[in-house]
């Protein structure tokens, strides 16, 4: 146990998760570049601490809902890497049978209930699973991940209002990366105060450094404990930044509202590097452990890639299957 | 067994019995705990099942529908009530982009057993925003089922089937039917989704009708009989999936078709049924197919205009006669 | 000029407006009771100070948007009484040609742009007219009247956000009568804090006594001045109560969530009686003036009623006219 | 005059010229000031007209559409852009309950000259929530007009007509057409709403097509010609109001009809056109009417499935042959 109060195993687990997400996406960058993966792909790079820090506090049977930018949440909640990679390739063995692509990852067996491409749409769905928990009395917690863009949508307020009214076991995680596609928050909202809006819906609304996994872990631990304990919902606004373009692999320096300096500044605040430094300082991550982890992850990715590449495409005859259950 | 219930009592009984029997069933929506808002259709539910399973909601159709859809993903069988279909426009994203798509989009890994009950509440000078019938829009959407009971028996049986169905079902009931009375078994039973029924056999012409217009079609058939015209009436009951065979077989027999549906004409349910028949039973057709529907106009308030707006038995009679006149 | 700083003519105008609304609706109660008027009718009785106090600050060409409960706004903005009465009768001479009924009063010539029966729907419309003002540079102000129920809808937040972002000349008037149909606010929202939600959208949000026309006048004067002066939108939450059932003429004591005591308590806080007392105290409304006003209003109503009764119904041949312009 | 522009340039030019000419025209929506979000369709607008009249909005489709509708009531002629039709479900209340109804509901006292531009943006493995074509839903709604240009010429002319129209118009453009090039006059001109056009004359069969499928129909006709089949192609251009006469006259001539529209089959635009023809030109029909459309399924991501999902010239060829085989 180091001075944070967070068990060493958890620290390591979060580190592995963050690195797994990063490495996985670095691989995707190459595959997107050569067009081997073709579906619209929104990279999570730069935001890894959020998914990792929050999911480390969740039980396997807790619910998570994600967005178009879903890789991080899927991996952090324990989604199967092979099924994810196959999904991105549009293969039948994909987690969504090749029908969803990157924006629609799912793994209900580990509580990743789904990811949707309509901004804001999964927020009330998460509240719905929390309502189910409350009715069923099984104290499963629901987490809605969404971006700052989703807080432009009225359904955000509708969802918070209802969750608060009924004190449902849900935690709202707003990953404020300051942009909705090309448009910065300051051109969409009169103030940078998402967490305060949660407060007017009578729930804790806090703003934290989303690039600091320790802060994310601790804040969400409290929120999740409160939810599970019947003390109602919370919102955590995690300040962060996406390193790459809104969609696809390139950087988007100087196209529209982002400058290279701004991106570079955030790259210096790399959540993984910072965490590595912390761990090293605490003596809980030796160089040999690091390279062991690194090799292990590379192996996993290689395996997933092979699996995806070797998997068959869905057959045209499947097209109309499963419109209904 | 010949217990009679009204249509609205049948709805109420279906919900009550399903909630008694299956703890995953619950109901939410505007007015579900109101003494008057949704007629008597939710009477007694709150008293019996309490605040946990009878949730009168804020006025936030999109969010509340999403909550029901989410709960369905977590193993519940929610019924979300929209006291007027007009309000459902707010909730289209949750109904279509989410509820209808998730099962297919996730390769069958998630399903959404939600019943979305939309009430047709019109007439009485309620005007354009409190009168609509949106079945045609929902019928267009893959992943949704759409049912429209016309009798108390079906009101109960289709609601039970909707709640038990593993897919999102749009259950549409019409307040003009609420006081109609008919036989309704006390036990739980299902009317299968996707199956229509012949309400009356006839050989001269088929009238395919939905919901309230089945009643008007029945009246029309009686009047037509007096003039020696023998009408077959098909009550669709389900608009999606459609009972294609039932419709096609009937038209094969009679060779003539009138479709009576209470939505707007252009792009309405009647268009689909017409296209279906002309695609599959063209050779048997002896005459043009006519549609009885709302005209292509918003609902007016003034009762002077409402009279002309809503189709009746007479409208159906005229359409039938026109088809017969124009027969080859 | 009395000590309020409000010109006497304005005080009198507001009094006349309030009384006109009340008398008009008292007449409607009788007509609804005997079913001579049949359209769904939502009475404004008890809330008159709000429409009167706000519209006294508006120019004729300022925009007003109303709801299903529209009589007060229509009358206060200067809508034609005959056309209103005829509309309620479903006559061709009605302000909406008999097509709208009570929920859809309109008089664009005096800026009453329309009233809609979909809760929340007119809020963005008002913002849209304010946007038009801003683009056209004509400093017309828009006012959105809506109930507490409308603040349940996400479109409320979407509208406030955009209005504030662009500092549009719009004033949001929330008539908080504590109910949405049968359901009290406390069963729909976790707190009674609508005005605070406006503040998180970075605009003044204040809570006032909606049954006190002087308070309404003064608060809205400032808000409207700010809007017109380019200083952006505001929200005023006017606390009030409707005396009658949600729809129709009856009282709704003890059906559901309202008790007779509660209604009686609010009846004692009658905005008109209070204002009469104030005016009398200030010596600006003598008994003879009062009865003169009263007779004048009765005459107007009588005339409107005669006009409505004698007007023709629309002809069936008109049914399809005007779906398009 | 034979200046050529691409379809997307034609859209851009229509907006630019209308904004130049009429100060009441302005544009708003997600991405209208983005270098990439709506293709090049809004390129240069912000630089030319500035922040007041080019408004890149928050992600709040319902509210923002309402703002456009409200501005239209106050004498503006707004264009509200939805970068994907899928997002429009959020805005259905404003589009249907409000924009479509106000003119009728208020007896003509208010009108709503708003252009609601919905982009069809599909393929490329975008899946179920980023692929939809909603023309059938809007076609159903009285008070709306719906246009779907298939050529650069029409893209400009119909957009000009939509902006000038005093009613709400749903203008639907398809990104699969953006790079098609064609003659586009430099001056402002209108293509009248409600008028289709014969793209190719033929005597054996009529193919009524919309938007992108007009191009596929052209290819199909060329292939069919090689087999001696003479196809007439009607490009509808407007779905509401429909150019009934043009369609009916063509079918009267050929006696056979295939309808190709890129929405889902059930309750799609094809159903209405089929019903229209069978109602008005039944006697002339020599064969069943076939519909080419999407199947009744959400859009899948995998390109392996996309290939089977989207209809092409080949699909049209098969349908035409089937109709010819089944002719009386
Ligand atoms: C309803 C809707 N409107 C618009 C879009 C287009 N869109 C896709 S992603 C996105 C940005 C959302 O921003 P945010 O929620 O902050 O997530 P981020 O991409 O920054 O992770 C937008 C506007 C959409 N997908 N859905
Ligand atoms: C979108 C929508 N949902 C539900 C309704 C049903 N409804 C009619 S009036 C009303 C109450 C609205 O309450 P509030 O906004 O406070 O206005 P009040 O009636 O109190 O003046 C409701 C829910 C509606 N008209 N529109
Ligand atoms: Mg963002
Ligand atoms: Mg209220």
């Amino acid at each position: 146990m180091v001075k944070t109060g967070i068990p060493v195993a958890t620290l390591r687990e979060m580190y592995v998760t963050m690195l797994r997400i990063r490495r996985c996406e670095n691989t995707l960058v190459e595959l997107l570049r050569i067009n081997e993966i073709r579906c619209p792909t929104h990279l999570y790079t730069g935001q890894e601490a959020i998914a990792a820090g929050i999911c480390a506090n969740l039980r396997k049977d807790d619910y998570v809902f994600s967005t178009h930018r879903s890789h991080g949440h899927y991996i952090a909640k324990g989604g199967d890497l092979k099924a994810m990679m196959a999904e991105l390739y549009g293969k039948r063995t994909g987690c969504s049978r090749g029908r969803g692509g990157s924006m629609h990852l799912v793994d209900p067996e580990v509580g990743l209930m789904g990811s949707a491409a309509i901004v804001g749409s999964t927020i009330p769905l998460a509240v719905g699973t929390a309502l189910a928990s409350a009715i069923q009395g099984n104290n499963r917690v629901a987490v809605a991940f969404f971006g700052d863009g989703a807080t432009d949508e009225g359904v955000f307020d509708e969802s918070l209002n209802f969750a608060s009214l009924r004190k449902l076991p849900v935690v709202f995680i707003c990953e404020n990366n300051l942009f909705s596609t090309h448009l910065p928050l300051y051109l969409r909202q009169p103030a940078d105060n998402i967490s305060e809006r949660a407060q007017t819906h009578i729930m804790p609304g806090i703003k934290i450094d989303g690039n600091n996994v320790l802060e994310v872990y601790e804040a969400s631990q409290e929120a999740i404990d409160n939810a599970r304990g019947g003390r109602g919902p919370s919102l955590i606004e995690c300040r962060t930044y996406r390193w790459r373009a809104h969609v696809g692999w390139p950087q988007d320096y100087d196209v529209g509202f982002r400058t290279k300096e701004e991106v570079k500044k955030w790259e210096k605040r790399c959540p993984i590097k910072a965490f590595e430094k912390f761990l090293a300082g605490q003596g809980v991550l030796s160089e040999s452990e690091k390279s062991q982890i690194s090799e292990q992850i590379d192996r996993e990715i290689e395996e997933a890639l092979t699996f995806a590449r070797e998997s068959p495409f869905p057959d045209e005859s499947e097209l109309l299957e499963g419109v209904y259950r | 067994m010949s217990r009679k219930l009204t249509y609205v009592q049948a709805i109420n009984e279906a919900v009550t019995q399903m909630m008694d029997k299956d703890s995953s069933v619950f109901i939410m929506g505007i007015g579900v705990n109101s003494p008057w808002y949704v007629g008597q259709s939710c009477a007694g539910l709150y008293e019996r099942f309490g605040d946990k399973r009878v949730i009168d909601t804020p006025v936030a159709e999109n969010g509340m529908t999403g909550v029901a859809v989410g709960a369905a993903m977590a193993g519940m069988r929610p019924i979300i009530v929209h006291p007027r279909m007009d309000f459902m426009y707010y909730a289209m994203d949750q109904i279509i982009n989410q509820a209808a798509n998730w099962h297919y989009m996730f390769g069958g890994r998630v399903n959404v057993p939600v019943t979305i009950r939309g009430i047709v509440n019109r007439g009485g000078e309620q005007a354009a925003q409190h009168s609509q019938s949106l079945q045609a829009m929902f019928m267009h959407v893959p992943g949704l089922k759409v049912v429209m009971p016309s009798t108390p028996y079906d009101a109960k049986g289709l609601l039970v089937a909707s709640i038990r169905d593993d897919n999102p079902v749009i259950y549409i009931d019409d307040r003009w039917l609420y006081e109609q009375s008919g036989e309704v078994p006390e036990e739980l039973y299902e009317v299968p989704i996707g199956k229509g029924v012949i309400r009356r056999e006839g050989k001269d012409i088929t009238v395919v009708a939905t919901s309230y217009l089945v009643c008007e079609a029945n009246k029309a058939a009686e009047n037509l009989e007096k003039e020696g015209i023998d009408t077959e009436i098909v009550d669709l009951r389900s608009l999606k999936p459609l009972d294609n065979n039932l419709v096609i077989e009937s038209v094969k027999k009679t060779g003539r078709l009138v479709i009576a549906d209470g939505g707007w004409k252009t792009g309405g349910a009647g268009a689909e049924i017409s296209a279906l028949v002309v695609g599959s039973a063209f050779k048997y057709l002896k005459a043009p197919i006519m549609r009885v529907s709302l005209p292509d106009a918003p609902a007016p308030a003034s009762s002077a205009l409402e009279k002309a707006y809503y189709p009746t038995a007479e409208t159906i009679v005229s359409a039938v006669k026109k088809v017969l006149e124009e027969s080859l």
Side-chain angles (χ1 to χ4, degrees), chain A, chain B:
Chain A
M1 181 95 55
V2 292
K3 71 164 184 234
T4 62
I6 305 174
V8 170
T10 305
L11 292 172
R12 189 162 300 154
E13 177 201 328
M14 293 194 294
Y15 173 70
V16 171
T17 299
M18 288 166 73
L19 198 67
R20 188 182 281 125
I21 299 170
R22 176 69 58 89
R23 286 284 170 81
C24 212
E25 291 202 324
N26 285 347
T27 306
L28 293 181
V29 166
E30 296 316 310
L31 297 168
L32 287 163
R33 198 194 299 272
I34 61 172
N35 232 10
E36 192 167 313
I37 287 179
R38 293 161 306 271
C39 62
T41 302
H42 301 77
L43 297 176
Y44 194 64
T45 309
Q47 307 183 197
E48 296 89 345
I50 302 167
I54 282 148
C55 293
N57 283 302
L58 292 176
R59 298 195 323 217
K60 186 174 168 188
D61 68 350
D62 286 336
Y63 302 107
V64 161
F65 285 83
S66 175
T67 66
H68 55 286
R69 199 174 301 288
S70 64
H71 307 160
H73 312 134
Y74 177 93
I75 292 173
K77 193 67 176 48
D80 183 71
L81 219 57
K82 287 180 181 163
M84 167 179 158
M85 206 55 97
E87 188 58 35
L88 270 62
Y89 273 82
K91 296 298 180 76
R92 183 196 281 152
T93 53
C95 59
S96 301
R97 212 175 152 183
R99 284 150 178 212
S102 159
M103 300 195 290
H104 301 299
L105 298 184
V106 71
D107 197 343
E109 271 132 58
V110 298
L112 197 282
M113 299 302 289
S115 322
I118 299 294
V119 169
S121 65
T122 46
I123 308 177
L125 298 176
V127 175
T129 53
L131 178 65
S133 295
I135 296 176
Q136 294 162 350
N138 61 15
N139 74 15
R140 288 158 83 168
V141 169
V143 171
F145 285 100
F146 52 90
D148 50 301
T151 70
D152 293 358
E153 296 278 9
V155 72
F156 165 73
D157 292 283
E158 293 179 358
S159 303
L160 265 63
N161 179 62
F162 187 74
S164 177
L165 178 70
R166 295 187 74 91
K167 287 195 165 301
L168 296 178
V170 53
V171 179
F172 300 99
I173 304 296
C174 178
E175 304 192 41
N176 186 352
N177 61 12
L178 312 175
F179 284 86
S180 168
T181 62
H182 61 295
L183 209 61
L185 183 61
Y186 66 84
L187 292 178
R188 303 188 335 263
Q189 296 188 15
D192 183 348
N193 66 345
I194 293 167
S195 54
E196 286 165 31
R197 283 169 66 198
Q199 291 164 21
T200 59
H201 291 298
I202 317 301
M203 66 177 76
I206 60 169
K207 196 185 279 206
I208 65 168
D209 177 1
N211 283 21
N212 180 342
V213 68
L214 300 171
E215 213 176 312
V216 174
Y217 180 87
E218 275 158 7
S220 61
Q221 182 171 50
E222 190 183 337
I224 291 164
D225 281 355
N226 281 337
R228 207 181 305 283
R231 293 181 297 280
S234 323
L235 178 139
I236 304 173
E237 178 190 342
C238 305
R239 314 288 293 192
T240 188
Y241 202 80
R242 66 168 155 75
W243 288 10
R244 297 196 173 260
H246 168 69
V247 59
W249 60 270
Q251 244 87 19
D252 66 348
Y253 306 145
D254 302 319
V255 202
F257 297 93
R258 276 160 59 121
T259 61
K260 184 159 180 172
E261 292 72 59
E262 187 177 290
V263 180
K264 289 290 163 206
K265 193 192 82 193
W266 280 93
E267 283 178 8
K268 290 216 187 75
R269 298 186 46 203
C270 174
I272 298 178
K273 282 225 185 86
F275 193 34
E276 276 176 351
K277 205 164 149 192
F278 169 84
L279 292 174
Q282 298 288 324
V284 299
L285 186 73
S286 67
E287 280 305 312
S288 81
E289 277 173 309
K290 249 178 82 172
S291 55
Q292 208 185 325
I293 289 170
S294 167
E295 278 161 34
Q296 168 64 20
I297 287 174
D298 286 345
R299 222 169 14 247
E300 282 172 26
I301 294 175
E302 203 43 52
E303 274 170 32
L305 211 55
T306 306
F307 175 79
R309 284 178 168 144
E310 290 178 355
S311 288
F313 279 106
D315 191 82
E316 289 193 5
S317 65
E318 294 173 38
L319 180 67
L320 300 184
E321 282 174 20
V323 176
Y324 297 93
R325 178 165 173 180
Chain B
M1 221 298 311
S2 76
R3 190 187 59 140
K4 290 205 168 189
L5 290 185
T6 61
Y7 185 96
V8 67
Q9 287 169 332
I11 292 176
N12 185 278
E13 184 169 281
V15 177
T16 307
Q17 292 182 347
M18 284 302 293
M19 287 182 68
D20 265 337
K21 188 146 183 187
D22 180 351
S23 64
S24 71
V25 180
F26 72 101
I27 191 163
M28 59 185 286
I30 295 174
V32 298
N33 183 22
S34 153
W36 53 272
Y37 205 85
V38 284
Q40 290 293 306
S41 68
C42 295
L45 295 178
Y46 186 87
E47 292 69 21
R48 190 177 184 109
F49 300 105
D51 166 71
K52 250 194 181 161
R53 290 171 70 202
V54 181
I55 304 174
D56 205 327
T57 66
V59 199
E61 285 75 7
N62 192 46
M64 294 304 98
T65 304
V67 166
V69 170
M73 292 171 182
M76 302 298 289
R77 295 192 172 271
I79 306 162
I80 166 96
V81 181
H82 293 287
R84 283 193 167 81
M85 292 201 87
D86 314 64
F87 307 157
M88 296 171 81
Y89 288 123
Y90 268 138
M92 288 304 223
D93 177 63
Q94 286 299 327
I95 298 173
I96 302 180
N97 274 329
Q98 314 314 326
N101 276 334
W102 277 50
H103 187 257
Y104 185 90
M105 186 168 86
F106 290 115
R109 305 279 303 273
V110 191
N111 73 307
V112 186
V114 67
T115 299
I116 302 173
R117 179 175 160 223
I119 306 179
V120 175
N121 188 349
R122 63 201 159 132
E125 306 201 333
Q126 295 187 85
Q129 300 179 334
H130 275 47
S131 300
Q132 295 170 68
S133 297
L134 307 188
Q135 57 269 29
M137 290 196 184
F138 295 123
M139 192 180 173
H140 186 46
V141 179
L144 295 180
K145 298 187 177 183
V146 182
V147 302
M148 296 187 84
S150 79
T151 65
Y153 183 92
D154 287 352
K156 179 172 175 183
L158 279 170
L159 188 45
V160 171
S162 299
I163 296 168
R164 288 185 180 156
D165 199 283
D166 281 337
N167 303 283
V169 180
I170 313 287
Y171 176 98
I172 303 174
D173 54 286
D174 186 331
R175 289 187 74 144
W176 283 1
L177 290 165
Y178 277 21
E179 296 313 317
Q180 303 237 1
S181 157
E183 258 180 49
V184 178
E186 212 160 328
E187 68 270 17
L188 271 177
Y189 61 94
E190 287 185 36
V191 170
I193 296 178
K195 289 282 160 224
V197 64
I198 308 266
R199 292 287 178 205
R200 179 193 168 109
E201 299 207 9
K203 62 178 187 349
D204 295 333
I205 187 163
T206 301
V207 174
V208 169
T210 62
S211 188
Y212 175 76
L213 284 179
V214 174
C215 307
E216 294 297 309
N218 287 332
K219 285 186 230 162
E222 278 168 37
N223 292 335
L224 288 163
E225 190 173 21
K226 289 178 199 140
E227 306 189 36
I229 300 168
D230 190 14
T231 310
E232 174 142 314
I233 297 178
V234 177
D235 179 353
L236 276 184
R237 303 200 291 196
S238 292
L239 265 73
K240 194 180 190 82
L242 260 180
D243 195 342
N244 295 359
N245 272 349
L246 188 75
V247 173
I248 289 168
E249 289 309 316
S250 176
V251 175
K252 281 188 180 170
K253 182 172 77 174
T254 64
R256 297 179 188 88
L257 177 60
V258 164
I259 306 147
D261 173 73
W264 293 303
K265 181 174 184 185
T266 296
E272 176 56 34
I273 295 154
S274 170
L276 168 75
V277 167
V278 94
S280 308
F282 176 69
K283 288 200 190 97
Y284 300 86
L285 273 178
K286 298 177 197 155
I289 298 171
M290 295 275 144
R291 290 177 275 171
V292 169
S293 66
L294 296 183
D296 286 322
S302 180
S303 51
L305 294 172
E306 278 187 330
K307 257 177 262 161
Y309 187 71
Y310 291 109
T312 61
E314 269 171 68
T315 330
I316 296 171
V317 166
S318 311
V320 164
K321 288 186 180 169
K322 191 139 185 253
V323 169
L324 288 166
E325 272 163 34
E326 295 197 19
S327 291
L328 297 179

